[in-house]
Amino acid sequence: MSESERPEIVRHVAAGQLCCDPVWEAAYKRFETPDQEIAKFIGRLKRFGFESIDKQARVVEIFCGRGNGLVALERMGFKHLEGVDLSDSLLEEYHGPAQLHLADCTDLPLERSAYDVVIVQGGLHHLPSLPQDLDRTLAGVAGLLKPQGRFYVIEPWKTPFLVFAHAVTEQPLMRKLYAKGDALATMTDRERVTYEQWLAAPELIRQSFDRHFQIRQWDTRWGKLAAIAGR
Ligand SMILES: C[S@@+](CC[C@H](N)C(=O)[O-])C[C@H]1O[C@@H](n2cnc3c(N)ncnc32)[C@H](O)[C@@H]1O
């Protein structure tokens, strides 16, 4: 796709107004190559059963970052894709047919009751205040979904595996030897306050989800929450 065919980003807020951290973004881009991210996202989407979802479904990924989750969805055949993030510089890296929105996910400015699928992959743990920002975000997502729509969630979760992974990647020697571990440790350092607040609040998070959704799946293993919620 050439630059001229690429849909314009719809800017609901002014670029750079509310975020972002260039050191965190550099580490995020170092952590995995786009190809590695796309392969990871396709694996996750398949585990969620996306191969059997209608490819005409209207899908939006919130906290979409540089948009490789959207590339994964496109490669799986989905035709109507949108992404939302607060970082103009990350959205600018995306090349594809999805309509992007520069917006705050705690105040989602999209069409209501119009989406079959909403996805988040590692965004909710960036919210500064729990449960208030989470409630605002989840209320917004519930408002976007059609009655039979589904919200698919992947977020970090404090399991023994995650505790072990952090203990290893935060060792100074490991940070020197293992570039991916260093990038992960840098991201964790920069987002420490919201990340630790998220990991420390599993019950608060579940209660917030229960206020807005019927939970269809709530799996916590290998350091991740994999949830599916509906209205
Ligand atoms: C860990 S990244 C995840 C990006 C993408 N989902 C992925 O897995 O590659 C979190 C993203 O959330 C975005 N973000 C943080 N707070 C936000 C907010 N309130 N509204 C929209 N995006 C936000 C950041 O700009 C960043 O791109």
Side-chain angles (χ1 to χ4, degrees):
M1 160 163 306
S2 72
E3 279 300 311
S4 57
E5 286 167 314
R6 186 179 155 193
E8 287 286 313
I9 298 172
V10 179
R11 292 183 169 82
H12 303 267
V13 295
Q17 196 184 21
L18 296 168
C19 85
C20 300
D21 175 357
V23 175
W24 181 89
E25 287 188 7
Y28 162 64
K29 288 187 222 165
R30 268 200 334 270
F31 179 58
E32 284 169 324
T33 65
D35 284 344
Q36 287 169 335
E37 273 190 352
I38 293 162
K40 173 182 78 181
F41 292 138
I42 289 176
R44 279 181 188 167
L45 294 167
K46 284 185 175 170
R47 285 193 289 282
F48 269 138
F50 272 59
E51 278 169 309
S52 57
I53 295 179
D54 181 357
K55 302 304 176 282
Q56 297 300 328
R58 189 168 176 193
V59 181
V60 58
E61 180 171 348
I62 58 172
F63 300 85
C64 68
R66 59 179 162 172
N68 284 322
L70 297 166
V71 176
L73 286 157
E74 184 194 349
R75 291 202 186 159
M76 291 178 77
F78 288 90
K79 304 289 180 212
H80 305 290
L81 297 171
E82 294 170 55
V84 185
D85 201 276
L86 250 188
S87 169
D88 207 43
S89 54
L90 291 178
L91 291 179
E92 287 282 0
E93 297 212 0
Y94 170 76
H95 297 279
Q99 177 62 66
L100 299 184
H101 302 266
L102 180 72
D104 183 350
C105 290
T106 65
D107 189 14
L108 284 163
L110 308 182
E111 190 183 348
R112 296 180 66 77
S113 304
Y115 293 84
D116 301 286
V117 172
V118 180
I119 307 173
V120 62
Q121 308 205 48
L124 300 175
H125 71 274
H126 286 256
L127 294 171
S129 83
L130 289 181
Q132 293 84 351
D133 286 338
L134 184 59
D135 275 320
R136 283 162 57 96
T137 306
L138 298 185
V141 170
L144 299 185
L145 287 175
K146 291 179 184 172
Q148 302 305 319
R150 291 284 181 268
F151 181 33
Y152 295 85
V153 181
I154 293 276
E155 288 291 335
W157 208 254
K158 193 167 185 177
T159 67
F161 174 79
L162 191 74
V163 175
F164 172 75
H166 282 309
V168 172
T169 56
E170 283 167 18
Q171 294 298 318
L173 184 61
M174 281 307 288
R175 289 185 69 156
K176 275 210 181 90
L177 293 177
Y178 177 49
K180 189 168 166 169
D182 180 60
L184 179 63
T186 302
M187 285 193 284
T188 309
D189 282 347
R190 305 296 292 197
E191 65 189 45
R192 189 168 295 283
V193 173
T194 62
Y195 184 69
E196 288 188 350
Q197 173 179 261
W198 174 267
L199 293 180
E203 285 163 20
L204 207 69
I205 293 165
R206 176 62 199 239
Q207 287 161 7
S208 180
F209 271 83
D210 283 334
R211 278 195 285 281
H212 301 282
F213 295 104
Q214 307 259 9
I215 304 301
R216 315 281 165 156
Q217 174 188 312
W218 192 267
D219 280 349
T220 56
R221 49 188 144 154
W222 298 112
K224 298 274 183 231
L225 165 69
I228 306 175
R231 283 172 56 183

